[in-house]
Amino acid sequence: MSLRHAILVTLSDTEGTGYEITQRFTSGLGHFWQASHQQIYQELKRMAREKLVSARAVAQETRPTKKIHRITATGRKELKRWLSVPSKRQPTRNAFLIKLFAAHLIDRDHIITELEAQLAHHRDLLAHYGELEALHFPEPEKLPFKYRCMYLSLTRGIASESAGIQWCEDSLAVFRK
Amino acid sequence: MSLRHAILVTLSDTEGTGYEITQRFTSGLGHFWQASHQQIYQELKRMAREKLVSARAVAQETRPTKKIHRITATGRKELKRWLSVPSKRQPTRNAFLIKLFAAHLIDRDHIITELEAQLAHHRDLLAHYGELEALHFPEPEKLPFKYRCMYLSLTRGIASESAGIQWCEDSLAVFRK
DNA sequence: ACCCACATGTAATGTGTTACATGATTTT
DNA sequence: AAAATCATGTAACACATTACATGTGGGT
């Protein structure tokens, strides 16, 4: 049950509407924990019921009324508890690696095409992480602790994508020769 | 809907019971696509209904009757179809990276402990992959195409775990200093 | 005229996990 | 005596995806 904790993280220093939280997922956290607005709205409702967040409605002239959610003391306590206990690793799922177990049944070109698509995707993501790095963390050594931690999650993304790129290139060499 | 395709892969050259398929997942495929016996039994039932596999019951003296599943022509066709269309990448979920966004809220020791646990886990898996490599693929260059493909999935695992180890070590350095 | 951003939600379906249940045989 | 292996399953619940639904205002 990590979704609620991820939401608590997004609310830990700024309150926000379901919509805004969804955006925070899409831009930042979402690289490591995805959630759709449908999930987020449902979960926020439950969290409000359990007093982890408080919601207040704010009427607007032209836009529909929005609900601003703020983390409560209970929520903050639960967040800290969760931060302190090790979470188990999510096993990875990679359909393409399953395909490799039966790749001999089909034409090499299909494999090559898919590998190229994956390579492109890894490169796009890596480029994207590079931009985030340049934009938000130009001098990582000088960052205060808080941002230094956030930066580490970005370096993890960079490491994963780089490894992915290397592997795709090596594998393509096998299929192309 | 990849579970059924993963099952088709496990049946593509050897028939098997639900129990055996579960074991194949646990030992091989399972590193990249996990499934419990509950899921597998349910899915096999559906697949038999849809004629992707055929099931025949085999009575045994001491053990309960077992059901041996074999891929059908329809199943083989579906497998090939699936192999030929690119599958979308499963976004990764990593709760620890979410924690890093709020790591400043708790004691460093908690982070260090969790990082060490992750490092140990990466190392175990890497060692395990190393054993599989030594056992099944001692001379990768000389492998026939079919096994060369399977070997690639193993190299992907090795690459991921190695990248994970490197990142854990680098990150630990940040928290320890 | 059409799409995007804002802002909320419900409902149905699909997928995965946990718990429960049975029962003989073999190994420690 | 206890645990692991063989071999099957059901049921409840949790979590995720897809589709549907509404309505304004601003930009191309």
Side-chain angles (χ1 to χ4, degrees):
Chain A
M1 211 196 278
S2 272
L3 175 58
R4 65 171 46 194
H5 298 111
I7 291 175
L8 288 173
V9 169
T10 68
L11 293 176
S12 72
D13 52 35
T14 324
E15 55 179 20
T17 64
Y19 189 82
E20 283 164 347
I21 295 169
T22 304
Q23 285 176 312
R24 291 177 201 170
F25 269 84
T26 312
S27 59
L29 282 193
H31 294 117
F32 314 117
W33 203 278
Q34 310 72 42
S36 61
H37 81 271
Q38 291 89 338
Q39 268 180 285
I40 290 167
Y41 282 118
Q42 289 308 124
E43 192 61 36
L44 278 172
K45 207 189 282 183
R46 270 177 244 131
M47 289 167 78
R49 227 182 280 138
E50 296 171 38
K51 311 282 184 208
L52 297 169
V53 298
S54 63
R56 72 195 148 90
V58 176
Q60 300 177 108
E61 303 122 40
T62 65
R63 306 280 180 194
T65 299
K66 61 184 177 182
K67 265 189 222 166
I68 299 177
H69 300 267
R70 187 194 288 256
I71 190 168
T72 62
T74 317
R76 213 169 274 283
K77 212 173 130 196
E78 172 55 20
L79 174 58
K80 282 189 187 168
R81 189 201 60 75
W82 176 74
L83 289 170
S84 309
V85 301
S87 19
K88 54 183 171 190
R89 177 176 161 170
Q90 237 51 28
T92 43
R93 294 209 146 123
N94 186 332
F96 181 66
L97 297 184
I98 302 303
K99 284 186 184 175
L100 284 180
F101 281 80
H104 58 281
L105 297 176
I106 53 156
D107 205 85
R108 285 182 190 217
D109 292 344
H110 286 123
I111 315 277
I112 291 175
T113 306
E114 187 155 358
L115 265 173
E116 284 170 340
Q118 290 207 11
L119 178 56
H121 189 255
H122 285 305
R123 283 187 175 143
D124 287 350
L125 251 183
L126 183 61
H128 178 234
Y129 290 148
E131 281 166 28
L132 291 180
E133 190 179 18
L135 188 65
H136 300 296
F137 310 101
E139 286 177 298
E141 303 295 326
K142 296 182 185 166
L143 290 170
F145 183 67
K146 179 175 167 179
Y147 296 99
R148 193 78 196 268
C149 290
M150 291 183 185
Y151 175 65
L152 282 178
S153 66
L154 187 57
T155 64
R156 177 69 228 238
I158 291 170
S160 298
E161 300 312 319
S162 305
I165 289 170
Q166 189 60 54
W167 179 81
C168 284
E169 285 171 348
D170 294 347
S171 301
L172 275 168
V174 171
F175 286 105
R176 280 191 177 132
K177 77 151 182 246
Chain B
M1 211 197 276
S2 272
L3 175 59
R4 63 172 47 195
H5 298 111
I7 291 176
L8 288 174
V9 169
T10 69
L11 293 176
S12 71
D13 53 36
T14 324
E15 55 180 20
T17 64
Y19 190 81
E20 283 164 346
I21 295 169
T22 305
Q23 285 176 313
R24 291 176 201 170
F25 269 84
T26 312
S27 59
L29 283 193
H31 294 117
F32 315 116
W33 202 278
Q34 310 72 42
S36 62
H37 81 271
Q38 291 89 337
Q39 268 180 286
I40 289 167
Y41 282 120
Q42 289 308 125
E43 191 61 35
L44 277 172
K45 206 189 281 182
R46 269 177 245 130
M47 289 167 78
R49 227 182 280 137
E50 297 171 39
K51 311 283 184 205
L52 296 168
V53 299
S54 63
R56 73 196 148 89
V58 176
Q60 300 177 108
E61 303 119 43
T62 65
R63 307 280 180 193
T65 299
K66 62 185 179 182
K67 264 190 222 164
I68 299 177
H69 300 267
R70 186 195 288 255
I71 191 170
T72 62
T74 317
R76 212 168 274 284
K77 212 173 131 196
E78 172 56 20
L79 174 58
K80 282 189 189 168
R81 189 201 59 76
W82 177 73
L83 289 171
S84 309
V85 300
S87 18
K88 55 183 171 192
R89 176 173 164 173
Q90 244 39 37
T92 43
R93 293 209 145 121
N94 186 330
F96 181 66
L97 297 185
I98 302 304
K99 284 186 184 172
L100 285 180
F101 281 81
H104 58 282
L105 297 177
I106 54 156
D107 205 86
R108 286 182 189 217
D109 293 343
H110 285 123
I111 314 277
I112 291 175
T113 306
E114 188 156 356
L115 263 174
E116 284 170 339
Q118 289 207 11
L119 178 56
H121 189 255
H122 285 305
R123 284 189 175 139
D124 287 350
L125 250 184
L126 183 61
H128 178 234
Y129 290 149
E131 282 167 27
L132 290 180
E133 189 179 19
L135 188 65
H136 300 296
F137 310 101
E139 287 175 297
E141 303 295 326
K142 295 182 185 167
L143 290 171
F145 183 66
K146 179 175 168 178
Y147 296 100
R148 193 77 196 270
C149 291
M150 292 184 185
Y151 175 64
L152 283 178
S153 67
L154 188 57
T155 63
R156 178 69 228 239
I158 291 170
S160 298
E161 301 311 319
S162 305
I165 290 170
Q166 189 59 54
W167 179 82
C168 285
E169 286 171 348
D170 294 347
S171 303
L172 275 168
V174 171
F175 287 105
R176 280 192 178 131
K177 75 148 182 251

